[in-house]
Amino acid sequence: MSLQTEPLDRVFAALADPTRRAILAKLTAGEATVNELAAPFALAQPTISKHLKVLEAAGLVSRGRSAQTRPVRLNPAALAQVDGWLGDYRGFWEQSFDRLDAYVKDLQQQEKPR
């Protein structure tokens, strides 16, 4: 495994879990405490903390300090890595869809009565 793919591997591993994706979705509205993040789930706070540790290790979230709480916030830089990786394939898919569209139009032209 190369050093360049390891961070991306951690991000994808973190994103593989639906609870962690839901936590990230909640954080798009702004920072939240662990208890606020745990509220919509039927999970104990320690379980949510474990999910947060995975997200933090992947660089997807960070924790701050505010008086006695440690609010969690989304780190968009890690998601930008994913977007960059997907962007490498975006051109391929767009070209494939363009070729498919041209093929379908050609078939439709051939089927028209003359």
Side-chain angles (χ1 to χ4, degrees), residues 9 18 23 27-28 33 35 38 45 47 55 60 62 65-66 68-69 74 78 82 85 92-93 98 104-105 110 113-114:
D9 292 343
I23 290 169
L27 290 173
T28 61
T33 65
N35 288 334
Q45 184 269 340
T47 304
L55 292 169
L60 290 163
S62 60
R65 279 232 186 260
S66 175
Q68 296 166 348
T69 63
L74 187 62
V82 173
W85 183 85
F92 167 77
W93 285 110
D98 289 345
V104 169
K105 286 179 182 175
Q110 291 176 13
R114 295 181 199 254

Side-chain angles (χ1 to χ4, degrees), residues 16-32:
D17 184 273
T19 300
R20 292 193 284 264
R21 290 193 306 271
I23 290 169
L24 292 177
K26 183 162 177 53
L27 290 173
T28 61
E31 63 183 37

Side-chain angles (χ1 to χ4, degrees), residues 42-91:
L43 300 172
Q45 184 269 340
T47 304
I48 294 296
S49 291
K50 287 180 183 179
H51 283 296
L52 289 173
K53 285 180 184 177
V54 172
L55 292 169
E56 197 169 13
L60 290 163
V61 300
S62 60
R63 296 187 197 205
R65 279 232 186 260
S66 175
Q68 296 166 348
T69 63
R70 295 192 63 207
V72 181
R73 65 183 60 92
L74 187 62
N75 180 7
L79 292 173
Q81 280 184 317
V82 173
D83 184 54
W85 183 85
L86 290 171
D88 293 343
Y89 296 93
R90 193 170 290 124

